[in-house]
Amino acid sequence: MLGVPLHLNGSMLLLALLVTVTYAEFARRQLDLSQLGAYLIGVGFVVSLLGSVLLHELGHALTARRYGIGVRGITLELLGGYTEMDRDAPSPRVDLLVSLAGPAVSAVLGAAAVAATLALPDGTLTNQLAFQLAVSNVIVALFNLLPGLPLDGGRALRAAVWALTRDRHTGTEVAGWVGRAVAVGTVAATLVLTVNRLLAPLALPLMLLVAVTLWRGAGQSIRLARISRQFPLIDLRRLARPVLAVPTGTPLAEAQRRRAEGDRPD
C-alpha cells in the first residue's frame, strides 16, 4: 500500500474473532438485531478497526520515508500492528516526528468519527458504528501516547531525553524503564476494571497479553541500549586479521605455510 509492503500475521485472525464476537453481542442488545445480522455488523466493525490500525501505521511509515528512513513493511497482528524500518532516526527531532505521526492519524480518525456520531440519528446502526470507531481510535491514540517503550509515547520520550542528554542510549534506557512501569499499570488497571465489572470477560486475557508484551518490549529496549552503548569500546582494528594474498590455485597447505612464515618474528 502506497509502496509499503503489508504483512498479515496469523494471530490477527484471533483478534478479528474476539472483536467480532464481542461487538456482535453488543450490537444485538443495543439494536435488537438477529444473530446473523449482529455478526455481520461485527465483521464490518473489525474491517473498519483494522483499517484504522493500518492508517495509524502508515502515518509512521510515510513520515519515516519523508525523512529518508527506509520502511521494510507494516505488519498487522493480534495486538494491532507495527512498522519495521531499516535504520534508526538520525536525530531526536526526526525520532519525535515519526513516533507521533501514528497517534496523530488516530486522533484525526477519532475526531472524524465523533463528528459522524453527532451527525447521524441516535440509535441507528451507522450511529453505533461511528461511535465505536470514535472510541476505538481515541483509545488507540491515547494509549499509544503513554510515555514508555515500545509505545509511540515511549519513542517520543526517548527523543526528548536524547535531545537533553545528547545520548540516544540513555533515552532508550529511560523510556524502557518507564515502559515497564506502564506495563505494571496496565495490569493494575485491568484488575480494577475486572473487579468492578467494567471490562468484558473476553477482553481480560487480551489486556493481560498487552501488559506482558509491553513488559517484554521494554526489557528488550533496555538490553539493546546497554549493548549498543558498548559498541564504541570495541576496537575493530585489533579484531581484524591481515589478509594474506596468494596466487589463484595455491594449495591450502602452501597458503598456511606462507602464513606461518609471515607470522614468525625476524
Side-chain angles (χ1 to χ4, degrees):
M1 177 174 287
L2 299 178
V4 179
L6 176 62
H7 310 287
L8 302 178
N9 190 289
S11 63
M12 187 191 67
L13 296 177
L14 180 58
L15 173 66
L17 178 62
L18 178 63
V19 175
T20 297
V21 172
T22 302
Y23 189 73
E25 289 302 312
F26 169 80
R28 186 175 62 82
R29 292 193 304 268
Q30 293 292 317
L31 303 174
D32 194 25
L33 297 173
S34 66
Q35 197 76 20
L36 177 60
Y39 277 99
L40 289 176
I41 296 303
V43 171
F45 178 64
V46 166
V47 172
S48 301
L49 184 60
L50 291 178
S52 298
V53 173
L54 176 58
L55 291 175
H56 176 106
E57 296 303 327
L58 276 174
H60 291 306
L62 297 181
T63 304
R65 289 204 315 194
R66 166 69 177 78
Y67 290 99
I69 303 174
V71 178
R72 296 176 181 174
I74 293 173
T75 300
L76 298 183
E77 58 169 6
L78 175 64
L79 299 181
Y82 60 89
T83 302
E84 185 179 5
M85 303 171 196
D86 62 7
R87 64 186 178 92
D88 293 327
S91 68
R93 175 177 173 272
V94 173
D95 202 15
L96 179 66
L97 292 174
V98 172
S99 64
L100 294 182
V105 171
S106 294
V108 170
L109 292 174
V114 167
T117 302
L118 296 175
L120 293 168
D122 289 339
T124 62
L125 175 60
T126 52
N127 174 269
Q128 286 296 322
L129 280 173
F131 174 73
Q132 292 300 320
L133 283 175
V135 172
S136 299
N137 279 285
V138 170
I139 289 176
V140 167
L142 293 177
F143 185 75
N144 272 280
L145 285 175
L146 292 175
L149 287 172
L151 298 172
D152 297 332
R155 296 186 177 95
L157 174 61
R158 176 181 63 192
V161 176
W162 180 8
L164 289 173
T165 63
R166 300 184 183 277
D167 186 345
R168 179 188 180 89
H169 308 310
T170 299
T172 301
E173 194 164 359
V174 169
W177 280 108
V178 176
R180 283 187 165 178
V182 170
V184 172
T186 301
V187 173
T190 299
L191 294 176
V192 170
L193 292 173
T194 302
V195 170
N196 290 280
R197 299 183 179 181
L198 297 175
L199 186 68
L202 287 175
L204 175 60
L206 182 61
M207 290 302 299
L208 293 177
L209 180 59
V210 167
V212 171
T213 302
L214 290 177
W215 180 271
R216 293 180 60 185
Q220 289 172 354
S221 298
I222 294 169
R223 288 191 293 272
L224 178 62
R226 291 174 176 173
I227 293 172
S228 299
R229 186 178 280 115
Q230 304 304 317
F231 287 166
L233 303 179
I234 299 175
D235 188 347
L236 296 179
R237 288 178 299 178
R238 295 184 62 183
L239 295 178
R241 299 184 63 183
V243 176
L244 174 66
V246 295
T248 302
T250 302
L252 178 59
E254 175 62 16
Q256 291 175 332
R257 184 187 66 78
R258 294 186 185 185
R259 173 73 223 186
E261 290 178 351
D263 287 341
R264 292 173 186 168
D266 295 332

